Amino acid sequence: MANLIAIVGDYKLSQAQQTGDLLFSLSRAILYQQLSTKAAAAIHNRFLQLYSENVPTALDILNTPDEVLRSAGISRPKILYLKDLAQKVLLGLPSLEELQTMDDEKIIGSIHFWQKYSNSK
């Protein structure tokens, strides 16, 4: 592995992965899931263009009509996932910064809380 790193260089995260914004990072992951990189990038770019400064808030996503999201190429299931994520962010889903300071047990507890919350809906 050391030889490979010496040849290729250090791994650097893309700018999108460095935002520190959990909503941005997870919404990007949702949109890229099960698509070719090229198709996912096009859909993600159209999604971002729907919002001022290309950075949607959770409230922006919840207030965007499904038809508008569909016109950006987002499938109906992914629209449900995005809106569910946005709702959880508004209800207090931990941020990336908070997750970095939490120990594993606290993160696991948070995941269990959100799983129970999702199942009770």
Side-chain angles (χ1 to χ4, degrees):
M1 190 65 125
N3 290 337
L4 181 61
I5 293 171
I7 294 168
V8 176
D10 291 335
Y11 177 76
K12 294 185 173 56
L13 294 174
S14 72
Q15 186 61 33
Q17 292 171 307
Q18 296 178 22
T19 65
D21 182 346
L22 187 62
L23 177 64
F24 184 91
S25 297
L26 291 177
S27 63
R28 184 179 186 277
I30 289 168
L31 293 174
Y32 270 72
Q33 188 176 19
Q34 296 182 332
L35 293 175
S36 73
T37 302
K38 187 175 180 179
I43 291 169
H44 186 244
N45 286 332
R46 287 193 300 264
F47 169 70
L48 294 177
Q49 290 171 4
L50 296 174
Y51 306 100
S52 65
E53 300 182 31
N54 296 333
V55 182
T57 65
L59 200 52
D60 288 336
I61 293 171
L62 287 173
N63 289 331
T64 303
D66 290 2
E67 302 80 41
V68 172
L69 294 170
R70 287 283 300 134
S71 72
I74 303 170
S75 68
R76 292 188 199 296
K78 287 184 181 182
I79 290 170
L80 292 174
Y81 303 149
L82 289 170
K83 290 196 173 193
D84 182 61
L85 171 63
Q87 183 179 27
K88 287 179 174 133
V89 167
L90 287 176
L91 292 172
L93 188 68
S95 68
L96 287 177
E97 293 82 16
E98 292 169 331
L99 289 170
Q100 289 174 348
T101 64
M102 295 166 70
D103 63 30
D104 290 348
E105 291 303 315
K106 195 162 185 173
I107 292 171
I108 291 167
S110 179
I111 291 169
H112 287 157
F113 169 79
W114 288 108
Q115 285 175 331
K116 286 179 186 176
Y117 174 82
S118 294
N119 292 334
S120 69
K121 289 172 62 177

